Amino acid sequence: MSAIALPTLYLITPEPDLAQSGSGAFLERLSTALLRGIKLVQLRAKTMTPEAYALLAHAVAQRCHAHHANLILNGPALSHATLDSIGADGIHLGSRQLMAASARPRPLMRWVSAACHTPAELRHAEHLGLDFVTLSPVRPTATHPEAPALGWEAFATMASAARLPVFALGGMTPAHLTQAQSCGAHGIAAIRGLW
């Protein structure tokens, strides 16, 4: 993905709670974000079964593509056939998956991104030829309250040295976009701040 084509706002969905409200409320919330102009979405689901995730991902892909937005998958392992049938634009690797990878996953997948927290992870993402990364947490975040924040200075040091687009993640809102870009970020990624 070229930096020119990459949006500056990257929505990461909260964990879907389909047992409580079904997929309808989740999809409506997604549609609202897409109507606000979000063009890059990561469907993040760490607790769903592969079958439930695949069903939701199909519906999310349809909504994203109807709004000319790109969908990145970040959930349970899916077969190549299921990945292909969803029609997503890419996959996202957690930092453990990133560091365990010896080559770029799914060479047929359009985009591959990863979660980075350290300079070593950034270098490995570059070595694998990934398309972009999130670097976090920049600020304290409710999603990972136990993780120490990098702060803007450390973020700027790492992001400015990176040779691929970096999204600032952790406590971000659209109001942080200018500051993040001044520190070397391509843009910001957020769950609560964009959902």
Side-chain angles (χ1 to χ4, degrees):
M1 177 183 293
S2 73
I4 294 170
L6 192 58
T8 57
L9 300 177
Y10 182 16
L11 168 63
I12 300 172
T13 67
E15 184 74 27
D17 187 1
L18 304 185
Q20 182 177 5
S21 59
S23 64
F26 182 88
L27 292 171
E28 285 307 310
R29 192 80 184 258
L30 173 65
S31 292
T32 300
L34 293 167
L35 286 169
R36 286 194 320 263
I38 294 294
K39 297 296 180 193
L40 184 60
V41 175
Q42 180 189 124
L43 178 57
R44 180 182 184 274
K46 301 296 186 178
T47 62
M48 296 181 82
T49 66
E51 297 76 18
Y53 183 78
L55 284 172
L56 181 61
H58 278 285
V60 169
Q62 290 175 348
R63 296 223 178 179
C64 285
H65 295 155
H67 290 273
H68 307 289
N70 296 291
L71 175 61
I72 308 297
L73 300 178
N74 180 8
L78 300 173
S79 70
H80 293 312
T82 301
L83 282 172
D84 291 339
S85 73
I86 291 169
D89 302 289
I91 58 170
H92 180 80
L93 305 176
S95 56
R96 287 190 192 117
Q97 291 172 301
L98 166 67
M99 296 310 284
S102 59
R104 180 186 169 100
R106 290 278 296 151
L108 298 178
M109 189 58 83
R110 184 173 174 194
W111 296 326
V112 180
S113 67
C116 294
H117 312 287
T118 67
E121 290 169 350
L122 280 170
R123 286 191 301 273
H124 194 59
E126 293 169 351
H127 172 74
L128 295 178
L130 303 192
D131 299 295
F132 60 96
V133 297
T134 58
L135 180 56
S136 68
V138 180
R139 302 175 66 238
T141 175
T143 307
H144 300 289
E146 74 292 347
L150 294 169
W152 286 113
E153 186 175 335
F155 175 86
T157 299
M158 288 190 273
S160 296
R163 296 187 316 252
L164 73 172
V166 174
F167 284 88
L169 175 62
M172 295 292 108
T173 69
H176 294 104
L177 179 59
T178 301
Q179 183 171 12
Q181 289 176 322
S182 73
C183 291
H186 174 81
I188 62 152
I191 299 176
R192 288 172 182 79
L194 294 174
W195 186 244

